[in-house]
Amino acid sequence: MNTGFSLDSFWQQPARSYGVAALASAGTQAALQPVLTQVATIAAPCGLCLVPPAHQHLSLYAAAPVRQDFDKDAYWAANAATVLAALRDWAAAQKPVTLRFTSLRATPTAVIAMADDRAEAGAAVWSLRRRLAEVLPPPPGGAPRYDLIHLTLARYAAPSALPADFAARIAALPVDLEFPLRDVIVLRETRYPALEFDILATLPLGAPLQASPGSVA
């Protein structure tokens, strides 16, 4: 039995959070499918909780993190204008870029693809995170901390049944995925992980903010 992995109790559960993200393009979604097939084959027969293609996304910054318990609606209402102003400035000055994901990792709760964050696209993400950390007061429980740029591909349906060499086999899989970053969204998540959400604003890179209907801008 493999005991190095655990079930994510938040998966597919109702959850309130606010954050900044980027949705995967149709091309990125298609390119991910062979990778997901390989991952699922290695995980068999325990199975995986796979992120639906239309919901595959890059989490850029958690304004009101899903795993912290406080009044997130009130916190967002108090800080939305500040966040959106910072995002508006950042997006207007940032040209579109393409992130490249070049390796896979099995974490205790998920299989993730990791970006090459040394390139120009990685620098853009880090600059966004720094800017939001500067203007947004820490929520109860503390501000999010980031050490990488990643896409979550799957979580474990039966972690105790994963092969003993699962992590090594996942890390050995070749991967070279492109993720065009042309706009970012502000979302209100209602079912984790971004299985159900409302888009509060869409910000094209290199252009002024364009808020979606119902935006709190």
Side-chain angles (χ1 to χ4, degrees):
M1 299 284 284
N2 190 317
T3 59
F5 306 101
S6 60
L7 184 68
D8 185 346
S9 60
F10 278 80
W11 179 267
Q12 294 185 334
Q13 297 301 307
R16 176 75 81 196
S17 69
Y18 290 84
V20 181
L23 296 176
S25 67
T28 300
Q29 293 175 29
L32 279 169
Q33 297 318 299
V35 178
L36 292 173
T37 297
Q38 290 178 295
V39 171
T41 299
I42 294 173
C46 84
L48 296 171
C49 299
L50 299 175
V51 177
H55 295 267
Q56 287 165 345
H57 65 285
L58 177 65
S59 296
L60 297 171
Y61 195 85
V66 67
R67 296 180 187 276
Q68 295 176 12
D69 185 14
F70 60 95
D71 188 340
K72 296 171 187 178
D73 291 327
Y75 176 82
W76 176 252
N79 294 285
T82 298
V83 172
L84 290 170
L87 284 172
R88 183 183 296 114
D89 292 343
W90 177 86
Q94 175 61 54
K95 68 180 182 180
V97 292
T98 298
L99 288 157
R100 185 175 295 278
F101 291 81
T102 54
S103 61
L104 300 182
R105 177 189 298 177
T107 76
T109 59
V111 176
I112 63 174
M114 295 182 296
D116 178 1
D117 63 2
R118 299 165 296 177
E120 179 183 21
V125 173
W126 288 117
S127 72
L128 171 60
R129 288 174 170 173
R130 286 194 299 270
R131 180 58 181 151
L132 292 179
E134 290 170 358
V135 303
L136 190 61
R145 298 177 63 183
Y146 297 99
D147 57 3
L148 50 80
I149 303 168
H150 74 281
L151 284 171
T152 298
L153 305 184
R155 296 178 188 270
Y156 313 128
S160 63
L162 288 168
D165 60 350
F166 180 74
R169 293 171 66 185
I170 291 298
L173 286 176
V175 60
D176 189 359
L177 297 168
E178 290 189 346
F179 191 113
L181 190 60
R182 303 292 179 259
D183 55 47
V184 298
I185 61 172
V186 179
L187 58 81
R188 179 200 296 117
E189 182 178 46
T190 54
R191 185 174 294 272
Y192 179 81
L195 298 177
E196 295 178 9
F197 58 88
D198 302 314
I199 296 178
L200 304 180
T202 300
L203 300 96
L205 301 192
L209 171 69
Q210 297 179 7
S212 63
S215 170
V216 295

